[in-house]
Amino acid sequence: MSIKDKPEARYGLWQAYQRRCAVCLEELFNYSDLEIDHIISEKTFKDHQKTTDVIKKFNLPTTFDFNHLENLRPAHRKCNNEKRDTELPDEIVARLLRRAQKKLKDVRKHIRKFEEEAQYALSIEAIRKQLAEGKITAEEYTDRINNYVADFGVDEKSHTFDKKYLEYRNRTVMLEGILPALGESRGSCLFTFNSFYIRGTTINLGHKDILSELYPGNNTPIDFEMRRYVVAKLDENNYMVQLGNSRFNLSDEELGNLCAVIDKFIVEYIEAIRLTEEILDCREFIPNHYHPDEYHLIKVSMDVWRKILKFSREYDYGKGDSDWHIFDATGNNILKIYMKKANEDHNEGFKCIIHSFIEDHYSWTPSDKVWLLWNKSGLSKKYGPRDYWTVSNAYAWLTKKLLPRVMQEDNAAQTKGFFKKIQLNHIDVTDYYSDGEVRYFNLNYIINASQLITLVNELQLFYSKNEYVCMNKSELIKLYKGILKSINSCKKPQYHYICSKLGIDQTESKEDIRSFINHKIEHYTHLSGNSEGLVKIYSHQIDDLFRVLYANLQDMEFELDIREIKDYLVLMDWFIQDFNTTRLVECYK
């Protein structure tokens, strides 16, 4: 049988061309009206000389099969009859051959589908017979009828070179994820389930849902009840789960499979965000709520912002060649830094684009303050001092170079006589701007007691807002050891305050407090539980511990040396990383 007469080939061509006639391009609704047309007519390839000429003319391989898919297309019966053996112009033939070649992949895909469905239909009766004879269960029968794979297996892999697309399989669930990347800060994920009652169900979650619903409680035991998507425990072996707008039940085993793939994906997702932040050097800056690719640099008054824009217009790069003629003054309410010539410090081109943002536009108490936002240039693929500035580069230039220069010139213009010679280092630029809230602590920059005390205070405030904390008991023991260390070193402990926060009877004896803390350390050391050594405790307990540590460190502020500061940082390391990660999630969700 010729290939054009085979049902699977006819079906494949019909589907690949979107059920349209390739001659008149009209819809080909009626499958019975389908005929298969030869692009190069049958009459041509029946003549050996003409065949040789055509192969040469269209640069076809000598093995070209005129009766195969690359020379066939679907057509109405009427259109095919009208065309018959008509020779088409060479340029049209060449275009149709190229199109047919591009369609080959789709044609073969639909041929395979046709063959699979045909085979499936043939096996239906055999499956029904097995069910009637009691050889298979009703669930197995349903699986076979619907062609479901009852077990996805266990696997994880990346399908792209940059590992932006990930796939995790764990028996009853498959998760396909797109990770955030430079230029596309929002990822997504797709769940496919094979649990019996939701077989084939797919649920898509966007960036916000991933961080809001999947991150909280990740890598915690299910019985700690800290995972937001686990709504309720129905009985010993069944749970109610909600992902996006879909709510359904899963068995204990099925929920375990789901949690496993989510935990792996969340680790990769957070790491992908961190990688982007590392490239842009923006870990200490808050992304804009509406445009997460833009970052809050500093907050200034409207008056200061106007002076900066005025300065940029005066020093447009087209008006001179000084070191300050680096602005592109085109546009409105935007600061564009442009280097028209490369030098030892910079390459030619745009260095940074900064624009203003009014944070509280609809507030009951309007402010005259504006945020200056770092804007990622779509033209740049390289970031750094020589190329397009990172967020940190832009911040340093704004606060250490531009603002002092702008305020120096402004003050000089308003001052007369002797005082006009104001020096740059006489201007305290911190009076003219404010930074954003703390969202990241870099341990390498904490080198004095004041910075350590600020860190402890921020951690105390952070844990005062949470409900529960899941952590390894060894990390909690370290925090107790840090408090014990501070009690031993503190000359004048605030006994009443310390006892109230630790929940012990009032005492003015260090020994009593040390005994209580050592008892706590002993308790958690020998606490039995899950194999990972994880504990779930009230967040206010961590809050109170940091309050005690804060009070003790304040008393010791002028006695702490760099070695002791590093010791405390080591003991608090887990809590600092928890703060940094949670603040990262809060910023980007």
Side-chain angles (χ1 to χ4, degrees), residues 155-169 174-179:
D155 190 22
E156 55 184 90
K157 56 187 175 182
S158 169
H159 289 288
T160 57
F161 175 75
D162 58 4
K163 296 186 178 180
K164 186 180 177 183
Y165 174 78
L166 299 175
E167 181 183 291
Y168 299 96
R169 297 170 181 261
M174 176 171 66
L175 186 157
E176 298 167 274
I178 303 293
L179 298 178

Side-chain angles (χ1 to χ4, degrees), residues 311-343:
F311 181 86
S312 71
R313 289 191 294 270
E314 292 174 356
Y315 287 91
D316 184 281
Y317 72 87
K319 294 182 179 180
D321 294 313
S322 75
D323 290 343
W324 278 106
H325 284 88
I326 57 172
F327 299 97
D328 178 352
T330 60
N332 187 33
N333 204 36
I334 191 168
L335 192 66
K336 294 185 282 188
I337 298 90
Y338 181 80
M339 300 293 181
K340 59 184 177 182
K341 292 182 180 179
N343 58 35

Side-chain angles (χ1 to χ4, degrees), residues 40 44 47-60 66 90:
I40 300 173
T44 299
D47 185 311
H48 179 71
Q49 185 57 46
K50 285 185 178 181
T51 300
T52 304
D53 294 341
V54 165
I55 287 176
K56 185 176 181 181
K57 181 191 298 182
F58 297 111
N59 196 27
L60 301 173
F66 289 85
D90 290 350

Side-chain angles (χ1 to χ4, degrees), residues 407-424 426-427:
M407 302 319 299
Q408 178 197 27
E409 291 204 0
D410 181 69
N411 289 352
Q414 299 179 37
T415 309
K416 297 181 180 180
F418 172 78
F419 296 102
K420 193 167 185 177
K421 297 181 179 179
I422 188 169
Q423 296 297 317
L424 185 64
H426 289 170
I427 298 176

Side-chain angles (χ1 to χ4, degrees), residues 161-311:
F161 175 75
D162 58 4
K163 296 186 178 180
K164 186 180 177 183
Y165 174 78
L166 299 175
E167 181 183 291
Y168 299 96
R169 297 170 181 261
N170 194 10
R171 303 301 180 193
T172 55
V173 63
M174 176 171 66
L175 186 157
E176 298 167 274
I178 303 293
L179 298 178
L182 198 63
E184 183 46 68
S185 59
R186 300 184 179 186
S188 62
C189 68
L190 178 72
F191 292 93
T192 303
F193 290 92
N194 254 348
S195 303
F196 182 66
Y197 293 106
I198 53 172
R199 291 258 163 87
T201 298
T202 58
I203 300 172
N204 184 65
L205 297 184
H207 174 79
K208 182 178 179 180
D209 288 330
I210 291 171
L211 296 181
S212 300
E213 304 301 324
L214 302 187
Y215 172 77
N218 76 96
N219 281 295
T220 63
I222 295 173
D223 58 4
F224 278 15
E225 300 180 349
M226 296 179 67
R227 295 175 183 264
R228 189 167 292 175
Y229 52 89
V230 182
V231 179
K233 185 174 184 178
L234 303 176
D235 54 46
E236 280 302 311
N237 297 310
N238 291 284
Y239 293 82
M240 182 181 292
V241 173
Q242 178 157 339
L243 293 174
N245 294 323
S246 301
R247 181 170 286 191
F248 47 91
N249 297 348
L250 292 178
S251 70
D252 181 74
E253 180 184 357
E254 291 165 346
L255 179 59
N257 294 338
L258 174 63
C259 292
V261 297
I262 288 177
D263 289 345
K264 291 179 181 179
F265 176 63
I266 284 295
V267 170
E268 295 291 344
Y269 201 88
I270 298 299
E271 189 58 35
I273 297 176
R274 284 187 175 132
L275 179 60
T276 299
E277 288 204 326
E278 185 178 330
I279 295 171
L280 300 180
D281 197 6
C282 60
R283 290 181 299 184
E284 298 176 19
F285 300 87
I286 305 291
N288 184 263
H289 177 73
Y290 302 101
H291 304 284
D293 285 335
E294 300 177 357
Y295 293 85
H296 293 240
L297 294 169
I298 58 174
K299 183 185 281 189
V300 299
S301 67
M302 287 293 294
D303 182 57
V304 170
W305 177 231
R306 292 190 193 99
K307 289 173 182 177
I308 292 173
L309 292 176
K310 179 184 176 183
F311 181 86

Side-chain angles (χ1 to χ4, degrees), residues 11-217:
Y11 177 82
L13 288 162
W14 184 52
Q15 290 286 2
Y17 281 79
Q18 291 80 47
R19 302 185 183 188
R20 288 182 177 274
C21 172
V23 177
C24 69
L25 304 182
E26 295 294 327
E27 291 185 339
L28 211 169
F29 290 113
N30 194 346
Y31 185 75
S32 62
D33 192 34
L34 169 69
E35 288 197 356
I36 303 301
D37 173 52
H38 288 81
I39 298 172
I40 300 173
S41 67
E42 290 182 274
K43 180 181 177 181
T44 299
F45 60 79
K46 286 178 181 178
D47 185 311
H48 179 71
Q49 185 57 46
K50 285 185 178 181
T51 300
T52 304
D53 294 341
V54 165
I55 287 176
K56 185 176 181 181
K57 181 191 298 182
F58 297 111
N59 196 27
L60 301 173
T62 55
T63 56
F64 184 82
D65 190 341
F66 289 85
N67 258 323
H68 213 266
L69 297 172
E70 52 264 53
N71 191 43
L72 301 178
R73 58 178 181 162
H76 287 111
R77 180 176 289 108
K78 178 183 176 182
C79 295
N80 193 34
N81 287 336
E82 288 177 354
K83 175 181 175 289
R84 287 293 180 182
D85 293 328
T86 303
E87 298 291 347
L88 299 173
D90 290 350
E91 60 272 17
I92 293 179
V93 172
R95 178 167 56 81
L96 293 176
L97 288 172
R98 286 196 298 271
R99 188 183 183 203
Q101 186 66 34
K102 290 179 180 178
K103 291 284 185 181
L104 274 179
K105 184 177 179 181
D106 278 346
V107 173
R108 287 171 178 149
K109 180 183 74 173
H110 289 295
I111 287 175
R112 285 195 300 272
K113 181 179 178 182
F114 182 92
E115 291 171 341
E116 289 168 0
E117 290 180 351
Q119 184 62 39
Y120 172 67
L122 291 173
S123 63
I124 290 295
E125 286 304 317
I127 296 173
R128 286 177 179 167
K129 184 178 179 182
Q130 286 181 314
L131 177 65
E133 294 174 352
K135 294 180 179 179
I136 59 174
T137 64
E139 183 176 338
E140 290 172 324
Y141 170 76
T142 304
D143 287 344
R144 295 189 187 184
I145 291 295
N146 291 287
N147 199 29
Y148 284 131
V149 178
D151 190 336
F152 281 132
V154 179
D155 190 22
E156 55 184 90
K157 56 187 175 182
S158 169
H159 289 288
T160 57
F161 175 75
D162 58 4
K163 296 186 178 180
K164 186 180 177 183
Y165 174 78
L166 299 175
E167 181 183 291
Y168 299 96
R169 297 170 181 261
N170 194 10
R171 303 301 180 193
T172 55
V173 63
M174 176 171 66
L175 186 157
E176 298 167 274
I178 303 293
L179 298 178
L182 198 63
E184 183 46 68
S185 59
R186 300 184 179 186
S188 62
C189 68
L190 178 72
F191 292 93
T192 303
F193 290 92
N194 254 348
S195 303
F196 182 66
Y197 293 106
I198 53 172
R199 291 258 163 87
T201 298
T202 58
I203 300 172
N204 184 65
L205 297 184
H207 174 79
K208 182 178 179 180
D209 288 330
I210 291 171
L211 296 181
S212 300
E213 304 301 324
L214 302 187
Y215 172 77

